Amino acid sequence: MYIPRHAEPRLKYFASGYPVVVVTGPRQSGKSALVRHAFPAHHYVSLEDLDQREFAESDPRGFLSQFTEDVILDETQHCPALFSYLQTHVDERQRPGEFILTGSQQFGLLSGITQSLAGRAALLTLPPLAYGELQVARKAASKLDRVLFDGAFPPIFNRGLEPHPWYGNYVRTYLERDVRQLIKVQDLRMFQRFLRLCAGRTGQLLNLSSLASDCGITHNTAKAWISVLEASYIVHLLPPHHQNFNKRLVKTPKLYFLDTGLATWLLGIQNAEQMTTHVQRSALFETWVISELLKAHYNAGEASNLCFWRDRSGHEVDLLIDHGTHLSPLEIKSGQTINRDYFKGLDFWRKLAGKPAGRAWLVYGGDTRQTRSDGTILPWNKIDRKQIVMPIIQKSR
């Protein structure tokens, strides 16, 4: 079953103006299904196929010349040398949407695009399913703990699979394979330990020295492995806001997993019931909210305008949304009951920021929406693209 994706209109828009459109994102996020659904008339070739890959690598001109019609080239990170030949090919034809490329890794893929296809290619990142997409498809869980446990990778919902074993296979068959291709990991058990340590730190400031020490690896190795996880769209490093407001600020990014289902598997959570009392529940809820906002940017083909703010005295706002002319602060709380203390960080920051401060937002684990003088309170299950996510991103105040 194909679940309609919010990114499809943007994908088609890009294809109407660029000869090459590149769809990237984590493995199993639904890239192939999206492009084949959006462009059913395009010829389809997967470079996972060893015969096709060998043809493309040994005779790139002959490989490209066989296509007289528009084509989808899947998993193009396997053949980065092809990009140079694509440049000449598309320059000769000047046909919008002629090549739709997909790839699962940023390394190699993006460098090849920037070097060979600059000005000729549009880039779209496809994340795992947004909650709003699952709601439209009537696949969304109604309980928050189940949403956090299930994650959002399409195969789980398309095929009705149990999340826990699927994520175990995902780590072994895709993530560890990508790691072998990108960097030399002599002990995959050590790398999986590193993954688990990262999951235990989702929502926290990135401390590479602590990660390296706890894992028994060097600081440089930890840095390289984080880069691989970021390039594979497994984690996202949320930057701190740079404006100081006359305060000493934390300058370290925060670490977030892009999918809570993967994080829960790495944390050893066996079922949704365990989530209720788990020590990481609040961090996982924060991770989920931020990932939903990131997905909205990815699906719209936009760069993220999200950051966080924290000073060295402990004052913090979970998220700042930079609109250019002003900043909207957003706080994330997993509790089901609204507490006045939830607004302390928001109130402190807005007084400090003054004019640049936009309307405050609070996303919480309850189910009632409220509009107050000091901000808007959003229930977790109303974070959908049309009603909540895009208004937060786009509205000025």
Side-chain angles (χ1 to χ4, degrees):
M1 174 186 172
Y2 175 75
I3 296 177
R5 306 303 301 266
H6 288 161
E8 186 167 334
R10 196 62 174 172
L11 173 62
K12 290 180 176 178
Y13 171 78
F14 283 154
S16 69
Y18 291 85
V20 180
V21 181
V22 184
V23 181
T24 187
R27 285 190 177 272
Q28 297 291 298
S29 65
K31 298 181 294 297
S32 301
L34 169 63
V35 297
R36 298 186 80 170
H37 184 270
F39 306 104
H42 278 49
H43 186 66
Y44 174 82
V45 176
S46 173
L47 292 176
E48 289 268 71
D49 185 312
L50 293 179
D51 291 337
Q52 294 286 357
R53 192 188 309 177
E54 192 277 333
F55 185 11
E57 290 175 339
S58 62
D59 184 10
R61 286 192 179 89
F63 177 79
L64 292 175
S65 66
Q66 69 178 316
F67 305 120
T68 57
E69 300 174 343
D70 298 338
V71 63
I72 295 167
L73 297 180
D74 208 357
E75 299 294 354
T76 51
Q77 79 276 357
H78 291 304
C79 194
L82 199 60
F83 298 129
S84 297
Y85 296 90
L86 268 174
Q87 175 185 342
T88 303
H89 194 85
V90 299
D91 285 348
E92 289 175 353
R93 301 196 186 192
Q94 295 289 322
R95 194 165 72 213
E98 182 178 5
F99 286 94
I100 310 297
L101 313 182
T102 77
S104 301
Q105 302 163 2
Q106 291 190 49
F107 292 155
L109 180 68
L110 295 191
S111 63
I113 293 167
T114 55
Q115 291 173 14
S116 303
L117 296 173
R120 303 167 180 85
L123 182 68
L124 182 71
T125 300
L126 184 70
L129 291 160
Y131 187 67
E133 291 171 331
L134 289 170
Q135 286 178 312
V136 171
R138 299 186 179 182
K139 297 279 186 177
S142 59
K143 301 294 184 182
L144 175 57
D145 290 340
R146 186 77 209 186
V147 171
L148 299 179
F149 179 76
D150 286 352
F153 276 92
I156 293 171
F157 301 92
N158 291 337
R159 293 182 248 155
L161 301 176
E162 282 296 316
H164 193 74
W166 186 87
Y167 282 107
N169 290 324
Y170 182 80
V171 169
R172 287 186 290 271
T173 59
Y174 290 107
L175 189 51
E176 290 178 354
R177 185 181 73 174
D178 287 348
V179 169
R180 286 193 185 99
Q181 293 175 350
L182 294 173
I183 56 175
K184 295 180 180 179
V185 177
Q186 296 179 347
D187 189 347
L188 282 174
R189 288 177 298 178
M190 186 74 75
F191 181 74
Q192 193 172 114
R193 174 173 169 76
F194 181 78
L195 281 173
R196 293 182 186 277
L197 288 170
C198 288
R201 289 163 168 78
T202 187
Q204 297 181 21
L205 293 174
L206 176 62
N207 188 329
L208 286 173
S209 297
S210 173
L211 269 173
S213 176
D214 290 351
C215 193
I217 58 177
T218 67
H219 182 277
N220 286 341
T221 299
K223 185 177 181 180
W225 287 2
I226 282 290
S227 295
V228 169
L229 294 180
E230 192 176 15
S232 301
Y233 303 97
I234 301 302
V235 302
H236 176 78
L237 300 183
L238 186 71
H241 188 250
H242 55 81
Q243 190 172 346
N244 58 33
F245 299 123
N246 298 319
K247 293 284 183 177
R248 295 182 62 199
L249 296 184
V250 169
K251 298 180 180 179
T252 304
K254 292 177 76 173
L255 174 71
Y256 288 98
F257 271 67
L258 194 59
D259 186 80
T260 58
L262 177 58
T264 59
W265 183 87
L266 291 167
L267 289 168
I269 299 173
Q270 301 292 316
N271 52 59
E273 288 70 29
Q274 291 181 3
M275 189 73 68
T276 305
T277 56
H278 199 276
V279 67
Q280 287 291 97
R281 185 179 186 274
S282 294
L284 288 168
F285 178 64
E286 183 178 327
T287 297
W288 181 80
V289 171
I290 288 175
S291 72
E292 288 297 307
L293 293 172
L294 285 170
K295 289 172 187 177
H297 285 89
Y298 293 150
N299 289 329
E302 300 172 351
S304 171
N305 63 350
L306 308 179
C307 56
F308 75 96
W309 182 87
R310 178 188 288 186
D311 68 18
R312 297 192 182 275
S313 299
H315 300 107
E316 181 179 13
V317 174
D318 290 330
L319 207 62
L320 290 180
I321 304 165
D322 189 348
H323 301 284
T325 58
H326 66 282
L327 300 163
S328 293
L330 186 147
E331 195 71 13
I332 303 167
K333 299 295 182 182
S334 63
Q336 297 183 29
T337 303
I338 299 170
N339 190 314
R340 187 65 192 86
D341 289 343
Y342 289 175
F343 290 90
K344 282 185 177 180
L346 294 171
D347 292 342
F348 179 86
W349 183 86
R350 294 190 74 200
K351 289 177 182 177
L352 187 67
K355 188 175 181 180
R359 185 166 184 78
W361 301 81
L362 171 69
V363 178
Y364 80 118
D367 56 9
T368 302
R369 175 170 180 156
Q370 297 180 10
T371 301
R372 300 188 179 189
S373 59
D374 48 3
T376 300
I377 300 172
L378 310 173
W380 71 272
N381 56 2
K382 296 300 181 183
I383 298 186
D384 65 86
R385 180 178 172 85
K386 292 182 180 179
Q387 298 181 37
I388 303 298
V389 174
M390 296 312 291
I392 289 178
I393 294 171
Q394 294 176 343
K395 283 187 177 178
S396 59
R397 290 186 187 269

